[in-house]
Amino acid sequence: MSTIEVTGPADGTVTVRAQGAPEAAHLAAALAGATGSAPTVLLDLTAVDHFTTEAVAALIPHLQGAGCRVIVTASAAVEGKFTRLGLGGLVAPSTESRT
């Protein structure tokens, strides 16, 4: 069973949370809708247990051309798919301290 849940915007952020093995087209549609309603989107794929490389590739235009900041967290399996497509930086956010 797969689910995709979209919550927000709260504090300028929309969260798109998926679990199971969501269809790429459904996840891309949810992400496209979310990027139009907030400057920051959190894409939580930590509960996704199966995702094809082709499904990750279908998300790339939404991740790179959204016109907003997309922060991705992913399970190890999904993170590996992003990394194989040269997008490891999308799933490894850095923390920067400013004084």
Side-chain angles (χ1 to χ4, degrees):
M1 180 174 176
S2 299
T3 60
I4 299 171
E5 174 188 338
V6 180
T7 57
D11 299 324
T13 301
V14 170
T15 300
V16 177
R17 186 172 287 115
Q19 70 177 57
E23 297 261 345
H26 295 157
L27 188 52
L31 188 56
T35 56
S37 59
T40 303
V41 175
L42 301 177
L43 178 56
D44 182 355
L45 303 175
T46 55
V48 172
D49 53 28
H50 176 74
F51 214 46
T52 65
T53 301
E54 292 79 15
V56 173
L59 296 179
I60 292 172
H62 302 286
L63 296 171
Q64 294 181 330
C68 70
R69 183 173 180 224
V70 180
I71 301 169
V72 181
T73 58
S75 64
V78 175
E79 184 175 337
K81 302 286 172 70
F82 277 105
T83 302
R84 277 194 286 285
L85 290 172
L87 298 171
L90 287 172
V91 293
S94 62
T95 303
E96 185 176 322
S97 177
R98 296 180 187 216
T99 57

